[in-house]
Each structure stands twice: as C-alpha cells, then as structure tokens.
Amino acid sequence: MDLDFFNIYIMGIIDTSLQFYFLVKTLKKNISPFYYFLFAVCAVIVSDFLSIRTIIGFMAFVLLLTAYGTFVCHADFKSSLLYAALATEIMLLCGGIVNSLMTISFPWMPDFFHEAGNIAAMLICEAAALALSGFCYYIVYRYFSRDVLYPIDNADTTMGMQQMFLIFIPLLMIFITSTYISAVELDFQFELLADKGPAEHIFNHGQMTAMYFLGLLSLFCSLFSYKKLQQSFRLSTEISLLEQEEHSLNQYVEEAKTRYDETKSFRHDIRNHIAVVKKLLQSGKLEEAVSYIEDMDDMAEKMSFPCSTNNPVVDILAGNKLGIAKSMGIDVGCSLLLPYPCGIRDIDICIILSNVLDNAIQACKNMGTGAERYIHVSGRIQGDFLMMETRNSFCGKGAFKPGTGLSNVRKVAEKYSGAMSIETQENVFVLHVMLIIPQ
C-alpha cells in the first residue's frame, strides 16, 4: 500500500473521526454514525488541497468542523468554533510530540523501519498520536468542558464573545508557534546518522519535542486559568443574587413595618370611628355618615395590597413595584395567583418579579410622551409548573440585550430546572418564566 495513500486517507479518516467525536461529546449531542463518515470524507478532501499545518489549512479545517457542529449537531456557533479549534490544536500538538520522539529514536530503530514505504513505523506513530490525543480529549471533556461552555450558553452575547476570545486567541498563538516548530523540524526530519552526530541529532529533536510539550502544557494552563475565571464569574453572580436577596428582604421588612403601624393605628381608632358613625346615624345625619364611611373605606384601601396573589410576601413586592409604576402614569394589571406556600421559596419568586418589573418600569419610562404605557403581570400554577408572564410596552427600537437583571431571572429559573424566554412583538415585550415546583 502506498505510504502517502495510507497517511492521507486511512489515518486521515481515523484522525478526523476522533476530532469530530470529541466535538460531539463536548457539545453533548447524539448523531448518526453516518455523519462521522461524511465529515471524515469532507475533511480528507480539504486536507488533500490544504495542509492543516498552515494557517489557511487550519482555519479551513476549523470552519469545517464548526459548520458540522452548528448545522449537524445544532449547537451554538461560538461553542462549536471554540471546541473545533481546541480539537484541531490538540491533535496537531500531540502529533508533533509523537513525530519528534519517533525522529529521535529513528537512527536506533531496526533496519526494516528505514525501508521506503514501510507502514509499521507509521502505524506505531499514528497509534501513539491517537492515544495521546484521546487522553487529552478526555481530560478536556472531563474537567474543562462545562466551564468553557457555561458562559457562552448563559451569558449575554457580548460577554460570551469576550470570554470565548480568552481561549481562542491563546489557541491561535499556540498554533502559530507549533506551525513554526513544524517548519523548522521538517528541515532535518529523518536525518541520517552519518550526516550529523547522535548528540546533535538528539539535541535538535529534543528541543522540538520540548517545545511541543510546552505548547500542550500552555494549552491546558489556558484552560485551567479560564476555568478559574469562570468559577470566579459564577461566584460573583451568586454574590450579586445574595445581595439582591438582602436588599429585597430589607424592603419587605420596611414595607411590613409600615403596614403594621398603619393597621395598628387604624385598629386603635376603629372604635372611635364606629362611635362617630353610630352617633351620626342616631342623629339622622345620613349623608354625613355615608361620607365618613367613605373616608374610612379610603383609609382601609390604602392599607390593602394593590396586588393580591395569595402570597403575602409577593403581595408586598408586587404592590410596591406596581404602585411605583402607577404613580408614573403607567397602566398596571396583576392576575398572578400563587398558593401559599407553593413549594418555591418566596425570595426566589421575588427576585424574578423585582427584576422583571424593574426592567418593565424602565422600558415604559424610556418611551416617548403620548405613547401607550402599560405593565401586565399574570401567572398561575399548572400541575407541577409555575407559569408567569409579564407583558409591557417598550420603544421597540434596536435589538434587545438582556442585562444583569434578566441574567438573575434566568439563574433562578435554572435553579428550579425551568426556563426563561423573551418575545418581542413590535412595541410589546413579553417575558415568560417557567419553574418546576419541587416535590
């Protein structure tokens, strides 16, 4: 069998299939084996025209792998691009390490390994490269895949792109360095022992091997640093949620104190009010009695919650937020019904509502004068699910970019294995939140 045919087609199909398998596993997808074969064939055709060890060939192969991850695996483009570059770079570095080690030991190999067209040496080299690549893929999948995917899947678009470049740029620099090493190594690949002495031969290729190892080590150091950065990012997000919980709790306590004092004062004076009404009726002053009762009704109305959800804590929050909106001339409505208790922590429901209502109020506030401004909140328990919807008007100009507030909402939704979705219809912004009630 021709050595070039074996190297390009047979081993090329095996190498690219392993890379595609790594991509599919890290993206947590299941696809038909047919796509593995189809990708391997496409990759071999590309490598037949472009060397993967050139920048153009590297980018072409990464884009091909990314396209399969995006359109075949139906994964996010940024995640597919990042893992495609990572898979390709690991394969190149592992291949470089094995080739350098084989070159060092080449003069001491048996004579039949030196024969032109011998596949034995190629088999050993490729098997070792595949084994090393597979081990590196396992380490990445086992210890780094979640931390690399996490911010891209859950952060806003700008943050996700910035975080992706924290890994992608070091990957590109390591590739450029390894490409230069490969070009230098090619100048004295498979040198005859007669041309240069064993000491210089070992020294030259030993340097190459060490540089490939350093490249692979740098790659894993970048992943480790990125993992720590993401852990710090998640910790700061959790701290932000805790601070918001503390702020919300303080609001609830102050609101509860105010309402308690008002209720206590009203209860203290109720006997006097009843006595006044009784005397007015006894005196035949019906109109004055009705007017006095109406004043008492207004006082009682001020002490009641503007939004009745059956949950006293949520009533305080929703009443406070919607009261602010109403004072700004915004039409408000609330048809949220929550059994008390409902299996979901009050503070988590309040985090959702406070962020959603704050965003809705801000959106209505930014609308021009004369525009229709409204906020409607609805929701109820359906089986084991809590479904909430907030519908509000907004200017509708430009693409909507979720901020920290909605990221906190998504965080709470994920805590209860639920989901958050956003829908915009001209000048209407609709936010859906679904939570699974713990059993």
Side-chain angles (χ1 to χ4, degrees), residues 123-386:
L123 280 173
I124 295 174
C125 186
E126 290 292 342
L130 285 174
L132 183 58
S133 300
F135 175 74
C136 292
Y137 288 156
Y138 173 78
I139 295 298
V140 173
Y141 173 76
R142 179 69 176 80
Y143 297 103
F144 299 107
S145 62
R146 180 182 179 275
D147 295 278
V148 175
L149 274 176
Y150 172 80
I152 297 176
D153 287 342
N154 295 286
D156 61 85
T157 304
T158 303
M159 181 61 70
M161 187 65 74
Q162 291 173 350
Q163 293 172 341
M164 186 191 74
F165 275 108
L166 291 177
I167 292 293
F168 193 78
I169 291 178
L171 275 177
L172 188 59
M173 295 304 298
I174 293 172
F175 165 74
I176 293 173
T177 304
S178 63
T179 302
Y180 173 76
I181 296 171
S182 299
V184 173
E185 185 182 28
L186 192 63
D187 292 337
F188 33 76
Q189 183 78 5
F190 293 111
E191 294 172 345
L192 295 177
L193 191 59
D195 294 337
K196 292 184 179 180
E200 186 176 354
H201 175 85
I202 295 174
F203 176 76
N204 287 334
H205 290 285
Q207 282 184 317
M208 297 298 105
T209 306
M211 293 180 72
Y212 276 120
F213 267 117
L214 286 175
L216 192 61
L217 181 63
S218 299
L219 184 62
F220 278 100
C221 285
S222 298
L223 291 175
F224 180 78
S225 300
Y226 188 70
K227 178 179 180 179
K228 291 298 181 182
L229 178 64
Q230 293 313 315
Q231 289 175 347
S232 175
F233 175 78
R234 286 198 295 272
L235 181 61
S236 64
T237 303
E238 291 172 1
I239 291 174
S240 174
L241 281 174
L242 290 174
E243 290 176 347
Q244 190 176 26
E245 286 185 10
E246 181 184 10
H247 176 71
S248 300
L249 285 173
N250 290 333
Q251 276 189 324
Y252 308 150
V253 170
E254 293 300 321
E255 181 75 15
K257 285 181 178 178
T258 301
R259 291 188 178 276
Y260 175 77
D261 291 339
E262 291 175 352
T263 304
K264 183 179 179 181
S265 176
F266 184 79
R267 289 176 60 188
H268 180 268
D269 296 334
I270 191 66
R271 291 181 179 274
N272 296 330
H273 294 315
I274 292 174
V276 171
V277 172
K278 184 178 180 181
K279 186 161 287 191
L280 288 172
L281 291 174
Q282 288 175 345
S283 303
K285 299 179 179 180
L286 184 61
E287 293 183 2
E288 288 85 347
V290 171
S291 176
Y292 198 90
I293 292 174
E294 288 177 351
D295 291 339
M296 291 177 58
D297 184 60
D298 291 338
M299 294 175 59
E301 180 67 23
K302 291 179 181 179
M303 288 185 292
S304 64
F305 296 113
C307 180
S308 179
T309 67
N310 294 330
N311 185 313
V313 178
V314 177
D315 285 350
I316 294 174
L317 172 73
N320 180 271
K321 297 292 184 183
L322 293 178
I324 293 174
K326 195 172 183 179
S327 66
M328 297 170 60
I330 301 173
D331 180 44
V332 300
C334 180
S335 58
L336 180 63
L337 298 176
L338 299 171
Y340 185 76
C342 68
I344 297 176
R345 292 179 63 206
D346 294 336
I347 192 67
D348 291 328
I349 299 176
C350 290
I351 287 176
I352 292 175
L353 286 176
S354 62
N355 283 290
V356 168
L357 292 176
D358 283 343
N359 285 349
I361 292 171
Q362 187 63 38
C364 292
K365 185 178 178 181
N366 292 336
M367 297 185 69
T369 57
E372 182 184 8
R373 302 189 299 172
Y374 60 87
I375 300 173
H376 296 159
V377 182
S378 61
R380 66 181 187 274
I381 300 291
Q382 295 182 353
D384 293 333
F385 301 93
L386 170 58

